[in-house]
Amino acid sequence: MNKSIAFFIQARTGSSRLPNKVLLSFDNENCILGILIQQLQTHFKQIPLVVCTSTAANDDAIVSFCEKMNVTCFRGSENNVLERFIDAAKHYETKVVVRICADNPFLDMGFIAELLDFYTENPSADYWSFKNATDVPAIKTHFGFFAEIVTLDALKKVSQLTDDPLYTEHVTNFVYSNAEFNSQLKVMPDFLKHRNDLRFTIDDATDFELLKEVFQFHKENKYDIEKTILWVEKNLLLLNNMVANIKKYSK
C-alpha cells in the first residue's frame, strides 16, 4: 500500500465495560467491525482501509477476523494509541488518516463523503471534522455518526509535545484542543447540531442491546439517519434510555 490517505479503523477487544463488543453479533450474525468494513469498502472503493489494533493477545481475534474479511490489519501499542496510529501511517506511507472508531455502527457514509470533500476544499489544515452549534467537535459528542481526518505530521507533532496519557490514548484530542493546530470543523446539519439527547455510539451492554433494535430500523430504511432519529423520538422508551446513558457517562 502506498496511498496518501487511508481509513484507519481503531479496534480492540479489551473494553472494560463490554469486552469484545466490536466482534459480537450485532446485525444478525454480523458484528460492528464487519458492518463498518463492508460499508466503507462499498462506498469508498478507492480509499485503502486498515484496521489498527493492539499487540495484546486478546486482539488476536481481531487479526483473525480481518484475515477472514481479507482486510489489512496493523498491530501496535495497546495503551499508546497515538503511537499505534503514527507507526501504522509510517508503515503504509499514509500522510492523511481518516480515523474511524469501531464502536460506531451508525457511522454515516454520506457524512464521510462530505468530510472528504471538506478536506479537499481545505487542504492546508491539520484536522478536519464536524462540530455542533456550540462548536463542540463531533468526536466529543455521543452521536457516533462522524469520522475525523488528521495528518500524520500533526500526530507526530503531538507525540513531540506531550506524553500525557490523555493525549496518547485519545489520538486527536490534543490537535483540536490547541490553537497551534489548524482545525477545520464543518457545522453539522440542522437536524443534529442542537441535539444533546442522542447516543448512537456503543460503550456498554445497555447501548449494545438498545442499538441492536434501532439498527434494524436504520438498515431497513436505507441507513437514513434523520428518519431513524424521528423513529427513536416516537419510541420514548428508546429515547429515554439513550438520555439515561448519556447522563451516566457524562458525569
Side-chain angles (χ1 to χ4, degrees), residues 4-249:
S4 61
I5 187 168
F7 291 116
F8 281 14
I9 302 179
Q10 182 178 326
R12 63 175 183 141
T13 59
S15 169
S16 59
R17 296 191 182 105
L18 184 59
N20 211 38
K21 63 182 175 182
V22 301
L23 295 178
L24 298 175
S25 297
F26 185 78
D27 174 28
N28 296 318
E29 296 303 313
N30 203 3
C31 63
I32 300 172
L33 183 56
I35 291 168
L36 292 174
I37 290 170
Q38 290 166 356
Q39 287 276 71
L40 291 167
Q41 289 185 330
T42 298
H43 288 84
F44 305 100
K45 294 182 177 69
Q46 76 280 16
I47 300 179
L49 184 152
V50 179
V51 173
C52 294
T53 193
S54 85
T55 54
N58 53 318
D59 285 331
D60 290 352
I62 288 180
V63 176
S64 296
F65 181 80
C66 290
E67 290 173 351
K68 291 177 183 177
M69 295 283 291
N70 195 27
V71 170
T72 302
C73 186
F74 180 87
R75 305 188 80 166
S77 173
E78 180 178 15
N79 297 315
N80 191 331
V81 188
L82 173 64
E83 179 184 276
R84 189 194 311 170
F85 270 64
I86 291 172
D87 289 348
K90 287 179 178 178
H91 182 78
Y92 296 112
E93 301 180 44
T94 300
K95 296 179 180 179
V96 179
V97 171
V98 186
R99 179 172 173 265
I100 307 292
C101 295
D103 49 6
N104 292 335
F106 292 82
L107 180 73
D108 185 74
M109 299 301 111
F111 287 153
I112 290 183
E114 283 187 43
L115 182 60
L116 290 168
D117 288 342
F118 187 55
Y119 154 74
T120 302
E121 294 161 4
N122 302 273
S124 61
D126 300 300
Y127 178 86
W128 303 257
S129 192
F130 287 81
K131 63 180 179 179
N132 66 13
T134 56
D135 295 332
V136 175
I139 192 67
K140 297 189 75 174
T141 71
H142 302 276
F143 291 138
F145 303 141
F146 301 98
E148 53 183 356
I149 299 177
V150 65
T151 66
L152 173 59
D153 285 343
L155 297 181
K156 286 179 178 178
K157 187 174 181 180
V158 173
S159 71
Q160 294 167 357
L161 293 173
T162 181
D163 59 1
D164 187 324
L166 171 65
Y167 302 119
T168 57
E169 179 183 356
H170 302 283
V171 178
T172 58
N173 190 303
F174 194 87
V175 178
Y176 60 71
S177 300
N178 285 271
E180 62 190 282
F181 293 96
N182 181 352
S183 295
Q184 295 292 316
L185 298 174
K186 181 180 175 69
V187 180
M188 295 175 187
D190 289 343
F191 73 90
L192 276 179
K193 66 182 182 182
H194 295 288
R195 302 297 295 262
N196 59 9
D197 59 340
L198 298 170
R199 180 184 176 84
F200 286 82
T201 190
I202 292 178
D203 199 348
D204 62 13
T206 300
D207 292 327
F208 192 89
E209 294 304 321
L210 170 68
L211 292 174
K212 277 178 69 174
E213 178 182 353
V214 178
F215 190 82
Q216 291 309 306
F217 177 90
H218 189 59
K219 181 179 177 182
E220 291 165 5
N221 286 272
K222 300 180 179 179
Y223 305 100
D224 186 320
I225 285 178
E226 192 166 9
K227 186 177 289 185
T228 298
I229 290 173
L230 289 172
W231 181 74
V232 168
E233 287 175 332
K234 291 177 181 178
N235 189 329
L236 290 178
L237 177 61
L238 290 176
L239 182 60
N240 289 340
N241 285 338
M242 279 188 179
V243 173
N245 242 26
I246 288 172
K247 291 179 179 177
K248 179 167 64 174
Y249 291 120

